[in-house]
Amino acid sequence: MHVADVLSIGAKSIYCSSNETALHELAAEYISQTGALPNLPVVPTLVSSAALEVPLKPHLQGEAAKEDAENELFLDDTAADVKRKIKRAFCEPGNTEVCPPLTLADCAGLALAGSFLVSRKPENGGDQKFETFSDLRSAFASGAVHPGDLKPSVSKVVEDLVSKISSHFEGRQHAKQAADLLAKSLKKKK
């Protein structure tokens, strides 16, 4: 069925979450063997099923993680939703191993924009621009970047990303229907 979907839309590539890559690579291999779309690339991405794939509450496991709508950032989240969710995200000072805001800074900030700006008051050291994730990670690990500075900066980057993606779907009936279904699903989870 998936192969038929890809063939029917004449896809030039398949974008998927990292946990779906093997399935999509199998479909791409089959499609390439038919000759219909040779060398179809499979591209793992942060965005899958209308959500950014970075759990904000890593301590939640299994069904609890899936049922907590506050654990994911959705493409139809408002700026207020994004701010609230990132503000509540796990972000222990100095912990670079499990830090969803740090991961989002890397994936949504550095990877897409090429740099990441931590905005902070002059008395807290002023704004600091990072060109590499290793520099940001080191600054966070040492305490030079505090969660209270990291989270608002990440919120801004994610808000901009969600806004750009959602504006692409404005005025499209199928997108509105999908958003309505997602909203109903999320209400059931709360």
Side-chain angles (χ1 to χ4, degrees), residues 5-22:
D5 289 342
V6 172
L7 288 171
S8 71
I9 63 170
K12 302 285 187 250
S13 59
I14 300 173
Y15 291 88
C16 62
S17 67
S18 56
N19 64 343
E20 298 170 331
T21 303

Side-chain angles (χ1 to χ4, degrees), residues 58-149:
H59 62 281
L60 294 177
Q61 300 293 319
E63 286 302 312
K66 292 177 186 174
E67 291 176 3
D68 187 347
E70 295 293 305
N71 191 37
E72 293 182 286
L73 293 164
F74 293 95
L75 299 181
D76 66 341
D77 278 348
T78 64
D81 292 334
V82 171
K83 283 180 187 171
R84 181 187 71 254
K85 289 178 179 185
I86 291 178
K87 185 176 182 177
R88 294 177 180 172
F90 180 79
C91 188
E92 183 178 48
N95 182 348
T96 61
E97 296 303 314
V98 180
C99 183
L102 196 58
T103 302
L104 286 167
D106 182 29
C107 299
L110 286 159
L112 296 176
S115 64
F116 180 75
L117 180 68
V118 174
S119 299
R120 52 190 177 183
K121 297 176 183 174
E123 58 267 17
N124 292 334
D127 294 352
Q128 188 171 2
K129 186 176 183 180
F130 294 92
E131 304 290 336
T132 67
F133 181 64
S134 64
D135 289 344
L136 175 59
R137 185 180 189 154
S138 295
F140 187 76
S142 72
V145 172
H146 188 271
D149 299 321

Side-chain angles (χ1 to χ4, degrees), residues 162-176:
V162 169
S163 174
K164 286 177 187 174
I165 293 170
S166 61
S167 69
H168 174 75
F169 294 103
E170 285 178 7
R172 297 180 187 208
Q173 186 59 30
H174 68 282
K176 178 163 178 13

